Amino acid sequence: MNSLIITSIEQGLIFAILAMGILITNKILNIADLSVEGTFPFGAFIFAKFISMGVDPVLSTLLAFVIGTLAGLMTSLLFIKLKIKPLLAGILTMTTLYSVNLRINGKSNIPLFNFDSIFDLVPILLLLAILVIAIKIILDEFFKTEVGYLLIATGDNETLVKSLGASSNKYKIIGLMLSNGLIALSGALMAQYQGFVDITMGTGVIVIGLASIIIGDTIKKNSTKLGNTTRAIIGAIIYKIIGGIAIDLGLAPSDLKAVSAIIVILFIAYNNVAIDLFASIKNKGEGVYVKNTRLIKKVQ
Amino acid sequence: MLRIQGLSKKFNKGTENEIEVFNNFNLDIEENKCTAIIGPNGCGKSTLLNILAGSISADSGRIILNREDISNLSQEKRSKYIGRVYQDPSMGVSPSLTILENMSLADKKGDRFSLKRLIRKNNIDRYVEMLKSLGLGLENKLNTKVKYLSGGQRQSLSLIMAAMKHPDLLLLDEHTAALDPKTSHVVMEKTKELLDKYKITTIMISHNMKDAIKYSDRIIMLNKGKIVLDKLSKDTTEEELIDIYKAKLFEEIA
Ligand SMILES: Nc1ncnc2c1ncn2[C@@H]1O[C@H](COP(=O)(O)OP(=O)(O)OP(=O)(O)O)[C@@H](O)[C@H]1O
Ligand SMILES: [Mg+2]
């Protein structure tokens, strides 16, 4: 049981990075980026490529992040320059990445046991905790900068961003690149953690990310102390612990994808009903403008 | 001074839904004055402001603001010179950010945005002063998210945000239309105070004849993209305007 908890926390921390990536697109920019399921294995395959070429594991992991940002660049250019709907743009990137991933190493499954990993250097849990906290702090600081605030405002009200003399498209590109970089990094870490890379490892990860964010939003709903990134991290860990318990109770690991979908459905349904009730009460008082386009409602 | 020269605009050009809004439209707007534009629905008021702000492009014509031709500047570039308040109180603010964050963003309007911290402590006193002048108590809500403000509070904030960098031109498109009569009055009074204080060339669209006369220096009535009345506000009465409306309506029926 104890090792189950530790494993869940370790995996939760890896997915926390994914969740923070998804947070930037889905929640802050208000763009549903579906390329995630291609970007996650993309990061893993990039890592496998470099490590098998003899590159140092730390650098290989870093390169997964850097090259991963290109997936975000592709999606954003598809919808900004070619005016393809963001949803479709993400799907097109994901589909393209499927072929790209298979090309990178010419194989769909690569064992990594013979190679070094960043986990050889420092205990897994410690390393992951440091990494996740560092990313959280960097993101939190970034969202306090002028550029960071414009990114938030882009998701909120593009008209305002333009009226400030800034290009909202630029901030969408920055956000999508950052998001996809983090997701690829998460994939590279997962590859090292499980000891192999597989083409199917991205299946369902978008739902895991969304589930993490939604669970995170539900903890101490009204507390303003808990920031978005902290919520995503806690959400990912809780999600993995729920999954660990489910397996312990006898569910097959393959059942977990359905479990995560059910978690998302339940939480969104709960939030929607709660928010609609709230809005209808407030609307009686004054003309409150309620944006109903969010994939995940901002719950504060 | 703002000069609009030979402005033409058609929507859905070349289709059977083609609408001609302006055909060789000309207008000069005096500096530091408030010009009210009135006229029936669909006569082209918002289209005119959209063209001025650059959010839609004209088919032809020139826009000259303080001797500079801004016709070919993008909306983002023009925003340096132009402030705008919309009918929808949510359009001028970022609802999920706080009042302080919104004002700090507006304070950077037209500047380069960098990786420096947005919120600067030494600006806060200045923001508080501006908010105090509204008399709505917003200075005590600096850290409240704007989505929790009432429409009138949000619109007053939008107004300050649009005006705080002293734009050369301020565009108000029915900015009190979504507010109840009392709040609408408050926001109009605040608008007047702000314009008197900062001396900004302003174009204000309104469907409220009383407000249009009371709060402007000059009244222009549009009908189907043409100027049908152009008068100093102090020489204009509400009855006069309503009579013209009725006469136009009669023309259309007859
Ligand atoms: N984006 C658009 N596409 C097509 N037609 C448009 C568009 N915007 C405005 N129009 C048309 O142009 C004409 C002028 O519209 P505009 O919004 O400028 O009117 P308005 O004077 O602001 O009216 P209101 O008082 O109702 O706000 C209308 O016939 C309208 O249908
Ligand atoms: Mg209009």
Side-chain angles (χ1 to χ4, degrees), chain B residues 136-153:
Chain B
L136 295 170
L138 291 183
E139 65 275 11
N140 304 319
K141 295 188 173 179
L142 278 181
N143 293 314
T144 301
K145 291 197 175 166
V146 168
K147 64 179 161 192
Y148 299 123
L149 300 181
S150 73
Q153 290 172 327

Side-chain angles (χ1 to χ4, degrees), chain B residues 90-224:
Chain B
S90 296
M91 292 284 275
V93 292
S94 185
S96 69
L97 297 181
T98 65
I99 294 184
L100 176 60
E101 290 163 340
N102 270 279
M103 290 190 76
S104 305
L105 277 176
D107 207 4
K108 295 270 324 165
K109 183 180 159 109
D111 294 349
R112 224 179 67 82
F113 285 79
S114 71
L115 285 173
K116 287 198 213 101
R117 282 206 172 215
L118 175 73
I119 309 290
R120 310 237 166 87
K121 290 252 153 56
N122 48 354
N123 283 334
I124 294 181
D125 287 345
R126 195 157 50 88
Y127 302 158
V128 166
E129 276 314 304
M130 287 184 219
L131 292 170
K132 262 190 190 152
S133 74
L134 287 176
L136 295 170
L138 291 183
E139 65 275 11
N140 304 319
K141 295 188 173 179
L142 278 181
N143 293 314
T144 301
K145 291 197 175 166
V146 168
K147 64 179 161 192
Y148 299 123
L149 300 181
S150 73
Q153 290 172 327
R154 239 181 288 175
Q155 201 63 322
S156 307
L157 179 65
S158 305
L159 191 65
I160 300 196
M161 285 171 60
M164 74 192 281
K165 297 290 275 185
H166 306 243
D168 296 328
L169 179 64
L170 182 63
L171 305 174
L172 308 173
D173 191 350
E174 297 188 56
H175 71 304
T176 62
L179 310 175
D180 67 52
K182 191 168 147 265
T183 319
S184 164
H185 178 76
V186 173
V187 174
M188 277 314 307
E189 286 294 324
K190 297 302 160 200
T191 308
K192 185 171 162 41
E193 280 170 30
L194 215 66
L195 296 187
D196 287 345
K197 199 161 108 193
Y198 291 158
K199 304 266 178 285
I200 305 172
T201 313
T202 304
I203 302 180
M204 173 177 86
I205 294 179
S206 179
H207 280 296
N208 183 325
M209 302 296 138
K210 260 205 196 85
D211 280 354
I213 295 171
K214 185 171 168 198
Y215 294 104
S216 71
D217 303 297
R218 176 187 177 195
I219 295 242
I220 287 172
M221 190 190 283
L222 288 186
N223 191 33
K224 296 181 187 153

Side-chain angles (χ1 to χ4, degrees), chain A residues 96-163:
Chain A
T96 310
L97 284 178
Y98 182 85
S99 302
V100 171
N101 287 338
L102 290 176
R103 276 273 175 201
I104 293 177
N105 297 276
K107 281 189 284 192
S108 63
N109 185 296
I110 305 145
L112 295 174
F113 301 107
N114 297 328
F115 299 110
D116 289 345
S117 103
I118 55 169
F119 298 123
D120 300 339
L121 312 166
V122 188
I124 297 180
L125 191 57
L126 181 67
L127 180 66
L128 284 174
I130 293 172
L131 205 60
V132 167
I133 291 171
I135 293 173
K136 174 204 141 51
I137 292 174
I138 292 172
L139 282 183
D140 288 351
E141 282 305 307
F142 172 68
F143 283 112
K144 284 182 194 147
T145 65
E146 294 166 1
V147 170
Y149 269 111
L150 269 193
L151 206 147
I152 300 174
T154 297
D156 229 15
N157 179 1
E158 271 189 61
T159 310
L160 175 72
V161 174
K162 288 184 191 153
S163 82

Side-chain angles (χ1 to χ4, degrees), chain B residues 9-12 17 19-22 37-50 56 87 173-174 205-207 222:
Chain B
K9 175 71 191 173
K10 282 182 185 163
F11 283 112
N12 308 320
N17 294 324
I19 304 166
E20 177 169 83
V21 187
F22 293 109
I37 298 188
I38 58 174
N41 295 123
C43 70
K45 304 180 296 294
S46 297
T47 305
L48 182 63
L49 293 207
N50 284 331
I56 59 176
Q87 182 172 346
D173 191 350
E174 297 188 56
I205 294 179
S206 179
H207 280 296
L222 288 186

